Amino acid sequence: MNYTHETISHLKRSSPAQAEFYQAVEEVLTSLAPILESNSKYREEAIIQRIVEPERQIMFRVPWVDDQGNIQVNKGYRVEFNSALGPYKGGLRFHPSVNASIIKFLGFEQIFKNALTGLPIGGGKGGANFIPNGKSNGEIMRFCQSFMSELYRHIGPHVDVPAGDIGVGAREIGYMFGQYKRLTGRYEGALTGKSLLWGGSLMRKEATGYGTVYFANYMLNDKGDSLHGKKCLVSGAGNVAIYAIEKLYQLGATPLSCSDSRGTIYHDEGIDVKLLKRLKEVKRDSLIHYLDAYPSAKYTPVSDYPTDGHAVWRYKADAAFPCATQNELTEQDVVALINNGCTLVSEGANMPTTREAINVLLEANITYGPGKAANAGGVATSQLEMAQNASMQRWTFNTVDEQLQRIMKNIFTNANEVSKEFGQPGNLILGANIAGFRRVADAMIEQGVV
Ligand code: GLU
């Protein structure tokens, strides 16, 4: 029986117009084919039918007043997808592209990613179709407060613990935490990614980017190689990209690029990470200002991008780290990377590689770390933040870093072993999906039909 085909046609009827969600489900189910064939209990227990349906989906109005006194309305979401392994856990994304399909694909990915970390966290995701670009601090605060005025009744340290994602960093988490505390009267770890001054964990900010690079290094170590001396392309200029770039330098590699929604920077001497932090974390400015300090760096505006892909992937390098957003690495991009000698892709973003591009990567035997595995360091460190909050402790940077490295190594080993167990050694997308699925599905079976 072809579960993938059957499930996707069912979803297209029951949840129409959710292309990104179907894409995420198709990717997972394609990997699961061997385990579903060989193991009748998952079929008998209707695990696939249950796992693709969120336990709960919350959609709400987010009204707020802008600086001109106009009333604005956005759409808010929280999809509580699966709680077999623990409280729902996953970020909030504030971006104009957010809709039910995007939040459902992210929530679905999060189930398996969180399972893969081995930690007790379920999967969820949320956000709003809010445009953070160009908003004043006051507007951001009022939006976050309005968003939390509805969300607070659905979350809590043992229920659902949101964090950041695109457009949501420590500032937004701060405003949302303040409103949560005001409405509930409770000071508790209902959000992660908090400021270090009041309950945040050291290294949470760095964790996704660092984790992606650790993961890439573990993949190479397994082949007797390392990132040392490698030239790398990185996309994005947010939290994930910045700290991937920082860790690449620490491991002796040279990151040559970064990108934002307006353009790409390629700097053959290596990206100046201090400048990048100043531009993006402090000034919240466009990457084009990188040229003010380095006029010789190359800037490609989005309007000049190749129509079949993205400028950032059209340079010569040994490794690529997509750290921007979904479907940012197309089939043509991957062909260009391979022709330019690239042999490794490690995903810092969620579902950055299109289905066709993944097939090219697998056929070409490229060392490929899928997002669920390679970017799990962020959510894993969020769980470490939850553990610190619950025990009223604060761990050192080194303690958190050691745990992050241990978790990323376990994820690699686990996905790699499972890829061998199912006769496709090195196919980590298969390994990660099956390993994550097995943990969630077995927990669901033990907890009965709920
Ligand atoms: N948004 C991040 C992710 O995609 C982090 C989620 C979290 O820390 O809960 O995994």
Side-chain angles (χ1 to χ4, degrees):
M1 184 150 72
N2 188 336
Y3 297 96
T4 310
H5 183 72
E6 198 177 281
T7 308
I8 301 291
S9 2
H10 167 73
L11 288 176
K12 282 185 176 166
R13 285 193 305 275
S14 62
S15 306
Q18 300 190 342
E20 293 82 2
F21 176 53
Y22 313 144
Q23 183 185 340
V25 171
E26 187 178 351
E27 182 220 286
V28 171
L29 294 191
T30 306
S31 301
L32 296 183
I35 191 173
L36 295 178
E37 284 304 327
S38 64
N39 215 318
S40 64
K41 72 175 172 182
Y42 299 124
R43 277 175 275 139
E44 286 151 16
E45 296 275 352
I47 288 296
I48 297 304
Q49 291 92 316
R50 287 154 67 187
I51 217 165
V52 298
E53 196 58 41
E55 290 177 15
R56 192 174 301 102
Q57 304 185 59
I58 303 146
M59 290 174 65
F60 50 99
R61 178 170 73 195
V62 191
W64 56 283
V65 180
D66 69 18
D67 286 349
Q68 284 69 48
N70 300 315
I71 297 171
Q72 303 279 351
V73 182
N74 288 97
K75 287 169 94 74
Y77 302 84
R78 185 74 183 166
V79 175
E80 299 181 333
F81 226 119
N82 194 300
S83 62
L85 295 176
Y88 309 104
K89 184 82 198 85
L92 297 169
R93 175 176 292 192
F94 292 170
H95 191 268
S97 66
V98 163
N99 57 34
S101 172
I102 297 282
I103 299 299
K104 276 179 76 179
F105 114 64
L106 290 164
F108 189 71
E109 290 275 299
Q110 202 82 43
I111 304 171
F112 304 96
K113 183 198 311 196
N114 294 3
L116 210 47
T117 64
L119 301 168
I121 39 179
K125 202 84 183 194
N129 63 344
F130 175 70
I131 308 177
N133 267 352
K135 298 289 187 297
S136 72
N137 219 29
E139 289 176 322
I140 297 282
M141 182 178 75
R142 291 193 295 281
F143 178 81
C144 289
Q145 289 176 339
S146 179
F147 186 85
M148 189 49 82
S149 294
E150 172 57 34
L151 190 66
Y152 86 96
R153 68 187 84 240
H154 307 289
I155 65 172
H158 301 289
V159 183
D160 182 356
V161 186
D165 195 84
I166 295 173
V168 178
R171 174 179 61 163
E172 290 74 16
I173 293 290
Y175 292 144
M176 287 193 272
F177 184 84
Q179 186 74 350
Y180 177 86
K181 183 163 59 86
R182 186 169 193 196
L183 292 169
T184 61
R186 288 196 297 271
Y187 201 112
E188 57 190 11
L191 293 163
T192 61
K194 299 185 290 297
S195 156
L196 296 177
L197 288 176
W198 46 270
S201 172
L202 284 162
M203 264 212 69
R204 173 61 190 91
K205 184 171 67 170
E206 296 85 352
T208 316
Y210 279 18
T212 301
V213 173
Y214 287 143
F215 193 87
N217 213 32
Y218 293 134
M219 290 195 291
L220 289 172
N221 290 167
D222 190 59
K223 300 183 161 129
D225 197 356
S226 81
L227 278 168
H228 194 89
K230 299 269 189 296
K231 293 201 181 311
C232 303
L233 298 175
V234 179
S235 65
N239 185 50
V240 183
I242 291 173
Y243 293 95
I245 288 173
E246 185 166 280
K247 184 54 74 179
L248 282 170
Y249 278 122
Q250 289 172 10
L251 296 187
T254 311
L256 300 171
S257 67
C258 56
S259 62
D260 67 10
S261 59
R262 280 172 267 190
T264 291
I265 286 285
Y266 174 81
H267 192 181
D268 58 6
E269 289 162 27
I271 294 294
D272 179 341
V273 69
K274 274 205 189 110
L275 172 61
L276 183 61
K277 284 186 189 177
R278 216 163 41 241
L279 278 176
K280 289 295 175 184
E281 293 183 340
V282 185
K283 295 187 176 167
R284 300 178 189 271
D285 219 340
S286 162
L287 264 187
I288 197 165
H289 295 293
Y290 191 95
L291 296 180
D292 301 346
Y294 296 99
S296 66
K298 185 170 162 42
Y299 180 77
T300 312
V302 171
S303 51
D304 292 358
Y305 276 18
T307 49
D308 56 1
H310 307 87
V312 69
W313 309 125
R314 305 303 169 103
Y315 295 99
K316 194 170 166 44
D318 306 302
F321 293 80
C323 297
T325 194
Q326 65 272 359
N327 292 329
E328 56 161 318
L329 188 55
T330 65
E331 187 176 359
Q332 290 78 5
D333 290 331
V334 167
V335 170
L337 282 173
I338 294 173
N339 288 341
N340 277 325
C342 175
T343 57
L344 178 144
V345 173
S346 187
E347 297 180 342
N350 289 313
M351 205 171 76
T353 311
T354 65
R355 185 71 229 167
E356 301 75 32
I358 292 176
N359 291 339
V360 178
L361 286 173
L362 294 177
E363 271 159 37
N365 244 322
I366 299 295
T367 303
Y368 171 48
K372 268 184 216 88
N375 76 34
V379 74
T381 308
S382 273
Q383 198 280 340
L384 304 180
E385 183 173 330
M386 289 163 71
Q388 291 170 77
N389 292 163
S391 59
M392 301 188 116
Q393 284 179 8
R394 183 147 198 239
W395 304 345
T396 63
F397 192 91
N398 276 347
T399 304
V400 183
D401 193 21
E402 275 165 22
Q403 298 231 36
L404 174 64
Q405 293 189 45
R406 182 181 52 76
I407 293 167
M408 296 315 292
K409 190 164 195 173
N410 281 344
I411 294 175
F412 168 71
T413 310
N414 195 3
N416 201 28
E417 289 304 316
V418 173
S419 75
K420 290 180 196 156
E421 183 187 331
F422 284 86
Q424 297 193 37
N427 182 343
L428 298 183
I429 192 163
L430 178 115
N433 282 328
I434 292 184
F437 170 80
R438 207 151 50 178
R439 196 167 164 237
V440 183
D442 291 346
M444 286 172 73
I445 291 173
E446 287 176 14
Q447 291 171 19
V449 181
V450 289

